[in-house]
């Protein structure tokens, strides 16, 4: 189950990706927002990130204008590793090396076609599980626990 969330600036891209997930037969839960009316991205970052951190969803996709603000907010939720990506290499490696659990995309940055590619590589790439990457992720968690 994939968690989805966006603000007004990411709404149209989220809708486009929903259609793509449906075409692929991938189940999702949409935590809003549900229109282009202006909203605050932290609200939807929290709803979506909680669903991933709590285990209700395995991975999440977040959308705002740049992907940046919504990733900053999502990363405040314990256990979330949200990555804002606009290139294929980063979107793949953030799964393989960082075990990122949320991909953040900018509706004003990437085209719908590029977003599909980024989403697919993110969802289809596993964490490598290699010791050095597991150790580094554990250090992120440990850092989180100190604050
Ligand atoms: C909203 O205008 C915009 O600031 C927001 O979607 C996002 O880009 C912030 O990082």
């Amino acid at each position: 189950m994939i968690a989805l969330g966006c603000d007004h600036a990411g709404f149209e891209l989220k809708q486009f990706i929903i259609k793509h997930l449906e075409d692929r037969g991938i189940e999702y839960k949409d935590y809003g927002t549900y229109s282009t009316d202006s909203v605050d991205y932290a609200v939807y970052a929290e709803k979506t990130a909680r669903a991933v951190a709590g285990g209700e969803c395995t991975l999440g996709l977040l959308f705002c204008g740049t992907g940046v603000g919504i990733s900053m907010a999502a990363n405040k939720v314990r256990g979330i590793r949200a990555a804002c990506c606009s290139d294929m290499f980063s979107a793949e490696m953030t799964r393989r090396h960082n075990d990122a659990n949320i991909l953040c995309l900018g509706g004003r940055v990437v085209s719908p076609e590029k977003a599909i590619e980024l989403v697919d590589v993110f969802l289809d790439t596993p964490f490598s599980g290699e010791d050095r990457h597991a150790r580094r992720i554990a250090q992120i968690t440990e850092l989180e626990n100190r604050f």
Side-chain angles (χ1 to χ4, degrees):
M1 184 69 67
I2 305 301
L4 303 179
C6 70
D7 73 355
H8 54 287
F11 173 75
E12 286 180 2
L13 186 57
K14 185 192 69 179
Q15 298 310 109
F16 191 82
I17 293 299
I18 283 176
K19 168 77 170 59
H20 178 64
L21 295 179
E22 289 173 351
D23 288 347
R24 284 194 57 181
I26 295 173
E27 292 192 310
Y28 62 87
K29 283 191 181 176
D30 184 359
Y31 292 90
T33 187
Y34 304 112
S35 78
T36 54
D37 294 347
S38 184
V39 293
D40 300 326
Y41 51 77
V43 174
Y44 299 92
E46 182 185 351
K47 290 174 193 282
T48 307
R50 277 185 185 277
V52 175
E56 194 179 340
C57 294
T58 51
L59 293 172
L61 302 172
L62 284 171
F63 308 85
C64 70
T66 58
V68 175
I70 210 157
S71 66
M72 289 178 170
N75 275 317
K76 297 299 180 190
V77 175
R78 192 173 294 278
I80 291 301
R81 292 179 299 281
C84 180
C85 300
S86 55
D87 70 274
M88 292 295 286
F89 182 72
S90 299
E92 177 181 342
M93 298 315 277
T94 200
R95 285 289 305 129
R96 216 178 278 294
H97 286 187
N98 313 129
D99 198 15
N101 48 19
I102 296 183
L103 175 68
C104 303
L105 299 176
R108 296 169 178 163
V109 176
V110 296
S111 68
E113 295 73 24
K114 174 57 72 175
I116 282 180
E117 293 180 10
L118 293 163
V119 164
D120 281 348
V121 77
F122 183 81
L123 297 183
D124 296 342
T125 301
F127 173 49
S128 73
E130 292 171 290
D131 286 350
R132 69 185 188 283
H133 297 305
R135 181 180 70 245
R136 291 162 189 163
I137 292 164
Q139 287 168 351
I140 295 176
T141 304
E142 202 268 323
L143 185 62
E144 188 174 62
N145 289 337
R146 271 193 272 140
F147 289 91

